[in-house]
Amino acid sequence: MLGLIRHRGPDSFGVYVDASVGLGSARLSILDLAGGDQPIHNEDRTVWVVYNGEIFNHPELRVELEAGGHRFYTRTDTELLVHLYEDHGFGFLEKLNGQFAFALWDKKRKLLFLARDRLGIRPLFYRRQGARLLFGSEIKAIFADPSVPREIDPQTLADVFTCWSPVGAETAFRGIEQLLPGHFAVFEEKALRTARYWSLVFTDGREQQKKREEAAYREELEALLHDATKIRLRADVPVGAYLSGGLDSTYVTALVKKRFDNRLRTFSVSFSDGRFDEAPFQESAVKVLATDHAMIRCTDRDIGEALPEVVWHTEVPLTRTAPVPLFLLSGLVRESGFKVVLTGEGSDELFAGYDIFKEDRIRRFWARRPHSRWRPLLLRRLYPDIFRGESRKTEAFLRAFFGKSLENVGSPLYSHQVRWENTAHIKTFFSDELRRQVEPLPSLEERVSAALPADFMHWHPLSRAQFLEINLFLSNYLLSSQGDRVAMGHSVEGRFPFLDYRVVQFGSRLPPRLRLNGLADKYLLRQAAKEIIPPTIAARSKQPYRAPIARCFLGRKRPDYVEELLSPETVRRFGCFEPAKVGKLVEKGRKQEGSLLSERENMALVGIVSTQLLLSQFVHDFESHSHGEAIEPKIFCS
């Protein structure tokens, strides 16, 4: 198990075993490099823990625990967990400011306690198997037990081909679940129970917006982000930063550079395809901030060749290639001698930076007069490059594309319906057998609606849209496939100041007008950013992070594995897709040298390729992919 996740922690390995439990750790050493090896125990060795992550407020908590009589034998934050548990039981999770997944064993009570951070930055998977519980930071560690079945979950595959990510606790594999963000689990007397310890609740500033000035909100945001960034620099190794040239990463980088560290190392990815490249903006930010910068240039061929390794790490089908360049970027970080980077993830979700939030606002405005000719034309402001040309044709397209379910504004899922309906068309490539398995299952809409907070429909529409984006997309895709999994694939830890829970709770009580002011996104954040970054960058419109797709797999220099995985024989044998339809898609792409006509076809292609890779690596030929490197763990027995 540890060998299969060696990439997550190549620095040391430890195992604790007694008659009831086995705990294993693959450690990425960032604090107390010499003395912080896991598993960690309390004073009398009755409580043990294995842990992945960081507790950023560990110095303050340590002072509190030492004052209460606890004695530490390491300088690592891991040791806090056993002592906090002794003093506060399960309630100690509320004291933690960090990103973590851990397993704690109470030997006296014969109780196993699992927990995951509030936003789901660090992963934790498990499987119930009779009276046994198997768990790990990645699914492949659980599959190390040959008695565990390895089967694709049809419902999750349908979800990914609709909303781009798994939903809820489900994973791509039957019988394997994830512990949800903000939850803990207790395994005791062969019974497992899970519970929530933190919830995201939007109050929309109702209790303060009449009393409080914009300047006061801005000052509070500045102070929170300053401290959130400061405590994320706590490490016994150098800390770098990703710098994309956009508002979020530039703001975080500027905070570090100007307030804490004048020799900051930054990293970025650029593309040989100019449609996706942000290198000029990155170079502008580097020049202004005077960072020591390193850049990796990514080609179509690089993406095609690296996708199999990325799928091995993400353990889920992908409908976009965006995780691949970030995987290659983390390789550059590691080669440069860094284990930790700060990034700007979370800002768009908290401060309404995505176009989907503007779409929702425009569609609601349009729905008040559904026959208006000019109201739908407001959507051209979001996508000026797409909607050019003759106005009547543009209007017809806008009505057909964004006008679906236009007047259904009372639906709790209104903000995301257009995206889901558009993406769901790629399920037409499913095989008849897969369709038969999916059709009787509860729909995505039913499951998402059933899990919403009781007062959800009393929230502002913008808050509803943000909640859906955060719960469906942030932890299950952005922080996973584009975050933890591709960074830890090269033993690199990402840290996210915008996802400090204090910043998250601030954003959830911010008046909507300070998040999305008309169609001006991230309004308050942009005002705050002007204080420390150039106004041109602070005001820069968001360029969605995307990467090339079709030419990576069907261009002149396509990877060898594509031919085999997309052959009619392999498609038929794996059973998820219709061989004839896949063949037509492939032939169309090849005739155009990898230039498919639509975004939908691109998503279908990468979805099919990544699913075929997942089936090959985990279901049909796991043994040949799963030879973990030999390790020599330190072993504790009782």
Side-chain angles (χ1 to χ4, degrees), residues 105-331:
W105 173 242
D106 185 330
K107 185 177 175 182
K108 290 181 179 178
R109 294 177 58 183
K110 296 197 181 305
L111 175 150
L112 182 71
F113 180 55
L114 306 175
R116 193 175 178 202
D117 64 74
R118 293 171 177 86
L119 278 302
I121 297 170
R122 292 288 168 251
L124 183 53
F125 300 95
Y126 65 90
R127 173 181 169 81
R128 287 291 306 280
Q129 197 163 341
R132 302 173 66 220
L133 181 73
L134 300 172
F135 61 90
S137 291
E138 296 187 9
I139 295 171
K140 59 181 67 69
I142 298 173
F143 283 160
D145 183 338
S147 70
V148 176
R150 302 187 308 274
E151 302 172 353
I152 286 286
D153 184 85
Q155 189 164 62
T156 297
L157 188 57
D159 289 342
V160 170
F161 276 59
T162 302
C163 66
W164 307 357
S165 70
V167 172
E170 304 303 317
T171 72
F173 301 97
R174 289 185 197 263
I176 307 291
E177 296 183 67
Q178 64 168 325
L179 187 62
L180 289 171
H183 280 67
F184 66 81
V186 178
F187 190 58
E188 187 177 21
E189 296 181 349
K190 302 179 182 179
L192 178 72
R193 64 181 177 90
T194 62
R196 181 189 297 273
Y197 70 88
W198 183 83
S199 301
L200 176 62
V201 176
F202 281 87
T203 60
D204 302 331
R206 289 186 292 268
E207 74 283 358
Q208 299 185 63
Q209 57 185 320
K210 292 184 179 179
K211 305 175 185 177
R212 207 168 185 213
E213 298 295 326
E214 179 181 312
Y217 280 111
R218 188 180 69 247
E219 289 172 6
E220 183 178 359
L221 176 60
E222 290 169 350
L224 283 171
L225 285 173
H226 179 277
D227 192 62
T229 303
K230 177 182 177 181
I231 64 176
R232 279 162 180 76
L233 293 172
R234 290 172 168 172
D236 293 337
V237 296
V239 178
Y242 284 165
L243 183 58
S244 70
L247 167 65
D248 309 325
S249 65
T250 305
Y251 186 27
V252 169
T253 301
L255 277 173
V256 178
K257 178 70 177 174
K258 295 184 178 182
R259 307 277 173 86
F260 309 117
D261 184 355
N262 289 323
R263 298 183 61 191
L264 181 65
R265 189 74 183 273
T266 54
F267 304 89
S268 69
V269 61
S270 67
F271 294 96
S272 58
D273 188 330
R275 295 173 299 166
F276 307 98
D277 193 37
E278 294 185 80
F281 300 106
Q282 295 163 6
E283 292 163 2
S284 175
V286 168
K287 184 176 181 180
V288 169
L289 297 174
T291 66
D292 180 8
H293 191 70
M295 177 189 293
I296 187 169
R297 192 160 184 81
C298 191
T299 67
D300 296 346
R301 186 171 186 175
D302 294 332
I303 293 172
E305 290 180 348
L307 184 68
E309 197 171 357
V310 169
V311 171
W312 174 252
H313 286 296
T314 60
E315 302 178 326
V316 71
L318 303 169
T319 54
R320 303 192 295 180
T321 54
V324 183
L326 293 173
F327 175 71
L328 299 174
L329 178 60
S330 70

Side-chain angles (χ1 to χ4, degrees), residues 6 12-14 630-634:
R6 182 187 179 114
S12 68
F13 306 92
I631 61 171
E632 296 182 8
K634 182 178 180 181

Side-chain angles (χ1 to χ4, degrees), residues 264-401:
L264 181 65
R265 189 74 183 273
T266 54
F267 304 89
S268 69
V269 61
S270 67
F271 294 96
S272 58
D273 188 330
R275 295 173 299 166
F276 307 98
D277 193 37
E278 294 185 80
F281 300 106
Q282 295 163 6
E283 292 163 2
S284 175
V286 168
K287 184 176 181 180
V288 169
L289 297 174
T291 66
D292 180 8
H293 191 70
M295 177 189 293
I296 187 169
R297 192 160 184 81
C298 191
T299 67
D300 296 346
R301 186 171 186 175
D302 294 332
I303 293 172
E305 290 180 348
L307 184 68
E309 197 171 357
V310 169
V311 171
W312 174 252
H313 286 296
T314 60
E315 302 178 326
V316 71
L318 303 169
T319 54
R320 303 192 295 180
T321 54
V324 183
L326 293 173
F327 175 71
L328 299 174
L329 178 60
S330 70
L332 172 65
V333 171
R334 188 69 186 193
E335 289 168 8
S336 302
F338 281 73
K339 296 181 180 180
V340 182
V341 287
L342 301 182
T343 87
E345 267 81 11
S347 169
D348 289 305
E349 289 80 6
L350 294 175
F351 300 105
Y354 290 134
D355 285 333
I356 196 169
F357 304 133
K358 301 174 191 177
E359 285 178 15
D360 180 59
R361 179 158 290 184
I362 292 172
R363 291 182 73 238
R364 289 178 184 277
F365 177 63
W366 176 15
R368 295 177 201 164
R369 293 187 180 177
H371 303 294
S372 169
R373 290 195 58 186
W374 66 268
R375 290 193 179 197
L377 297 180
L378 287 170
L379 289 157
R380 287 194 300 190
R381 293 177 57 182
L382 305 186
Y383 309 108
D385 293 335
I386 299 175
F387 301 121
R388 287 176 175 168
E390 201 272 314
S391 60
R392 286 190 176 275
K393 290 183 179 179
T394 298
E395 181 187 340
F397 181 84
L398 288 170
R399 285 189 175 279
F401 189 88

